[in-house]
């Protein structure tokens, strides 16, 4: 079943501008939001600008929700759910678009700063599935949050502004790499060697104290002073006043190390986007845009953006937590009389698209793919009936009936889509949050955008696939 390239639909059509304009908005988002906290804050503001109120506000006001009302809930600043109340009873089910907003990266350890041979470093622990050798010798930025002992916190970014310094993980020169180059790729760079070089000037000892203790770790001490000055400058921006930061504050901070720089147009024809974090922000952005378009839908529309997917959807902000279930319970209570049976019916009767990326077919590495069942850049929205590894391990496997329903929606709305799975059967595989939706006994299928170089510091997507995903989400929200 050969699928056409979606570009054909737009080449002689005024809608080509819509494809390109939508991509510009996405590029700005991708450049600005490189952590789950930043994504959550961005989407919360966007929701409020479009008439959404928080569920807490609705509860405090004793508001009874009706068709067309728009509410949202956040979870620890890393997860957000948006709802547009439908005309039908919630017990009859919702139309849910679920994506994740975390991406593979490096995290600072809790005791990260150290000095070795006159160089200061930050020690890291990688997050998610990465090829470690891809992260060396490239400019890196720090995006973080420090929770202070007085109960306040500040957010900061260092390395994205042109005037900012950037950071780097060094590599061994080829002249001395005889042993390194004999290693397997997964061991060329070891996890404990992903240490970020952050400075080399020692602290000035004005008293000329030659005592060994006084001259120890002078570079580290100087870098710590610079970090404190940086933090205090961010404090001034937020109006929190001066706080005496100290090395122990690393224990209550979350700092994510990500590639520095903006998302860029790629290719002479500007048909592609090169950027960090397409997985899975290329699905989360059109998800929110689709939910914002819903006015008075037949069924309640939900956009759910979760954290921790890259490490198994665990923890309080992952899909496995009770956050989503609890929020739906609150929603039911705000629309009528709550009961556990009502909640179970609402979840079981819902339809969902687990919006996550697909591995795009790459002709350079064709041996890893099966041509007839791969996602191709430029062929539109990629639907995965199942994911998992090898024998479908860890997979949700959508029913034929639900697959037929999805096909009907897309075909009826002139949406270019393709079916795919992740590479050859015994080559590997991967999972999404779909199986967790499935645990509620709801119909769910995986669908998203094809990506080249998935989980690399910079990934590649097609602008037309992004736009077809947006249109697919809009159609699903309105008609499922």
């Amino acid at each position: 079943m050969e699928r056409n390239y979606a570009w054909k639909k737009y080449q002689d059509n005024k809608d080509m501008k819509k494809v390109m304009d939508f991509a510009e908005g996405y590029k700005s988002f991708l450049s600005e939001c490189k952590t789950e906290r930043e994504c959550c804050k961005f989407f919360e503001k966007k929701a409020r600008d479009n008439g959404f109120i928080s569920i807490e506000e609705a509860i405090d006001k004793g508001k009874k929700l009706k068709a067309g009302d728009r509410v949202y809930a956040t979870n620890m600043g890393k997860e957000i759910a948006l709802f547009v109340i439908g005309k039908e009873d919630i017990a009859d089910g919702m139309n849910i678009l679920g994506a994740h907003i975390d991406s593979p990266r490096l995290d600072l350890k809790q005791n990260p700063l150290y000095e070795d041979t006159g160089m200061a470093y930050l020690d890291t622990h990688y997050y998610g599935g990465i090829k470690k050798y891809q992260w060396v010798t490239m400019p890196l930025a720090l995006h973080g949050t420090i929770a202070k002992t007085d109960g306040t916190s500040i957010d900061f970014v260092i390395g994205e502004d042109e005037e900012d310094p950037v950071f780097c993980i060094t590599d061994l020169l080829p002249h001395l790499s005889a042993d390194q180059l004999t290693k397997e790729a997964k061991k060329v760079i070891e996890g404990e060697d992903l240490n970020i070089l952050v400075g080399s000037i020692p602290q000035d000892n004005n008293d000329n104290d030659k005592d060994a203790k006084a001259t120890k770790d002078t570079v580290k001490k100087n870098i710590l002073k610079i970090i404190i000055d940086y933090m205090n400058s961010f404090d001034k921006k937020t109006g929190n006043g001066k706080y005496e930061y100290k090395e122990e504050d690393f224990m209550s901070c979350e700092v994510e190390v990500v590639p520095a720089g903006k998302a860029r147009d790629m290719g002479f024809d500007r048909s592609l986007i090169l950027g960090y974090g397409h997985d899975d922000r290329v699905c989360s952005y059109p998800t929110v845009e689709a939910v914002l378009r819903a006015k008075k839908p037949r069924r309640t529309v939900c956009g759910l953006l979760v954290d921790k997917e890259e490490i198994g959807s665990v923890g309080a902000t992952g899909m496995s937590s009770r956050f989503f279930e609890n929020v739906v319970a609150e929603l039911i209570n705000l629309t009528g009389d709550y009961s556990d049976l009502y909640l179970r019916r609402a979840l079981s009767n819902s339809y969902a698209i687990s919006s996550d990326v697909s591995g795009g077919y790459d002709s350079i590495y064709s041996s890893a793919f099966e041509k007839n069942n791969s996602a191709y850049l430029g062929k539109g929205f990629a639907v995965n009936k199942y994911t998992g590894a090898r024998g479908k391990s860890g997979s949700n496997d959508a029913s034929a009936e639900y697959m037929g329903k999805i096909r009907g929606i897309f075909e009826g709305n002139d949406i270019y889509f393709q079916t795919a799975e992740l590479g050859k059967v015994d080559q590997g595989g991967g999972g999404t949050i779909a199986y967790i939706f499935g645990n509620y006994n709801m119909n769910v299928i995986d669908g998203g955008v094809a990506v080249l170089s998935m989980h690399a510091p910079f990934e590649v997507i097609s602008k037309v696939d992004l736009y077809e995903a947006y249109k697919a989400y809009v159609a699903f929200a309105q008609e499922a």
Side-chain angles (χ1 to χ4, degrees):
M1 294 180 286
E2 186 69 22
R3 313 298 288 184
N4 290 325
Y5 284 95
W7 286 114
K8 295 180 182 293
K9 183 169 61 170
Y10 297 104
Q11 281 176 324
D12 300 317
N13 191 311
K14 62 182 180 181
D15 285 345
M16 176 66 89
K17 186 176 186 305
K18 293 181 180 179
V19 175
M20 295 303 180
D21 287 348
F22 192 82
E24 287 304 306
Y26 170 65
K27 275 168 38 186
S28 296
F29 159 72
L30 196 66
S31 300
E32 179 183 340
C33 300
K34 294 188 175 182
T35 72
E36 61 281 4
R37 286 180 183 270
E38 291 165 348
C39 290
C40 189
K41 191 174 294 185
F42 177 91
F43 290 134
E44 182 177 10
K45 183 180 184 305
K46 195 146 196 167
R48 295 197 73 87
D49 289 346
N50 282 271
F52 284 73
I53 66 169
S54 72
I55 281 185
E56 289 80 8
E57 290 175 79
I59 293 170
D60 289 344
K61 293 176 181 178
K63 181 179 176 65
K64 281 297 180 183
L65 300 180
K66 60 184 184 304
D69 283 344
R70 302 151 83 82
V71 294
Y72 74 91
T74 61
N75 184 17
M76 303 183 186
K78 300 181 181 181
E79 184 177 9
I80 185 168
L82 299 89
F83 298 87
V84 180
I85 306 302
K87 298 173 185 176
E88 295 184 357
D89 197 312
I90 292 180
D92 294 330
M94 299 171 286
N95 294 343
I96 304 168
L97 295 165
H100 67 91
I101 49 178
D102 60 317
S103 294
R105 60 178 189 261
L106 307 178
D107 287 341
L108 291 195
K109 292 184 177 180
Q110 286 189 288
N111 186 26
L113 183 61
Y114 72 95
E115 179 181 335
D116 195 345
T117 59
M119 298 284 186
Y121 297 89
L122 290 173
D123 205 355
T124 72
H125 193 134
Y126 63 91
Y127 173 98
I130 67 170
K131 291 180 176 179
K132 294 184 283 292
Y133 62 80
Q134 294 178 330
W135 287 76
V136 300
T137 70
M138 68 161 45
L140 300 170
L142 307 179
H143 291 234
T145 296
I146 289 186
K148 301 181 290 187
T149 54
D150 63 4
T152 62
S153 63
I154 66 164
D155 300 327
F156 65 91
V157 176
I158 304 171
E160 299 293 355
D161 190 282
E162 288 187 3
E163 300 302 316
D164 284 350
V166 293
F167 311 94
C168 181
I169 300 167
T170 59
D171 195 9
L172 185 62
L173 65 163
H175 312 70
L176 300 179
S177 296
D179 291 339
Q180 184 192 47
L181 293 176
T182 64
K183 295 181 180 180
E184 295 180 352
K186 64 182 179 181
K187 292 186 177 181
V188 169
I189 302 294
E190 301 278 2
E192 288 294 349
D193 293 333
L194 292 172
N195 304 320
I196 301 163
L197 181 59
V198 295
S200 61
I201 297 177
Q203 187 180 60
D204 184 21
N205 291 317
N206 294 323
D207 58 0
N208 293 317
D209 190 346
K210 301 301 181 182
D211 180 77
K213 186 175 181 181
T215 58
K216 184 181 179 183
D217 289 343
T218 54
V219 175
K220 173 184 172 181
K221 291 172 183 175
N222 188 48
I223 295 302
L224 187 60
K225 179 180 181 301
I226 293 171
I227 291 173
I228 290 169
D229 289 342
Y230 262 115
M231 293 305 104
N232 285 328
S233 71
F234 281 104
D235 242 2
K236 289 176 184 177
K237 289 181 184 178
T238 60
N240 289 337
K242 187 175 177 63
Y243 175 87
E244 292 300 326
Y245 290 91
K246 49 190 179 296
E247 186 175 359
E248 286 78 4
D249 289 325
F250 279 118
M251 289 190 290
S252 57
C253 76
E254 294 177 354
V255 181
E256 299 182 14
V257 184
V258 298
K262 296 180 178 180
R264 302 282 297 274
D265 282 348
M266 181 172 166
F268 287 114
D269 57 4
R270 297 181 179 269
S271 62
L272 307 166
I273 299 174
L274 177 72
Y276 166 70
H278 285 312
D279 181 8
D280 186 32
R281 291 164 194 146
V282 74
C283 295
S284 63
Y285 180 83
T287 286
V288 171
E289 289 295 319
V291 174
L292 296 181
R293 270 197 55 171
K295 300 303 180 186
K296 288 188 178 181
R298 180 175 60 84
R299 284 159 60 97
T300 293
V301 172
C302 170
L304 176 64
L305 307 174
V306 301
D307 181 26
K308 297 293 186 288
E309 191 276 343
E310 295 294 357
I311 58 170
S313 296
V314 295
T317 55
M319 186 63 202
S320 293
S321 80
R322 291 293 181 89
F323 168 71
F324 178 62
E325 186 177 331
N326 292 344
V327 171
V328 175
E330 295 285 4
L331 199 69
I332 290 170
N333 199 50
L334 289 169
T335 57
D337 295 322
Y338 171 81
S339 76
D340 184 63
L341 181 59
Y342 202 94
L343 173 62
R344 290 170 185 263
R345 285 174 179 169
L347 294 170
S348 180
N349 290 332
S350 291
Y351 298 130
I353 293 180
S354 171
S355 305
D356 210 338
V357 296
S358 291
Y361 181 86
D362 192 330
S363 61
I364 298 174
Y365 307 103
S366 59
S367 61
F369 297 89
E370 196 265 285
K371 274 192 170 182
N372 291 332
N373 290 284
S374 292
Y376 292 83
L377 267 67
K379 289 193 174 184
F381 189 67
V383 178
N384 293 261
K385 186 177 183 295
Y386 48 83
T387 54
R390 298 178 176 87
K392 297 187 180 179
S393 177
S395 170
N396 171 76
D397 197 342
S399 68
E401 292 84 355
Y402 191 52
M403 183 71 180
K405 182 179 184 65
I406 295 297
R407 279 184 56 212
I409 293 171
F410 293 168
E411 290 173 1
N413 287 274
D414 191 29
I415 292 162
Y416 275 51
F417 72 98
Q418 54 187 317
T419 58
E421 58 182 83
L422 188 57
K424 287 184 174 178
V425 173
D426 283 330
Q427 193 67 34
T432 68
I433 63 173
Y435 78 95
I436 304 171
F437 281 127
N439 289 340
Y440 291 115
N441 197 42
M442 70 174 71
N443 277 293
V444 57
I445 196 166
D446 284 289
V449 174
V451 176
L452 296 181
S453 305
M454 191 192 296
H455 283 209
F458 290 97
E459 303 166 314
V460 180
I461 62 104
S462 168
K463 291 180 180 179
V464 77
D465 294 338
L466 168 67
Y467 192 66
E468 291 300 300
Y470 163 64
K471 290 181 63 180
Y473 296 152
V474 169
F476 173 82
Q478 293 175 344
E479 298 185 18

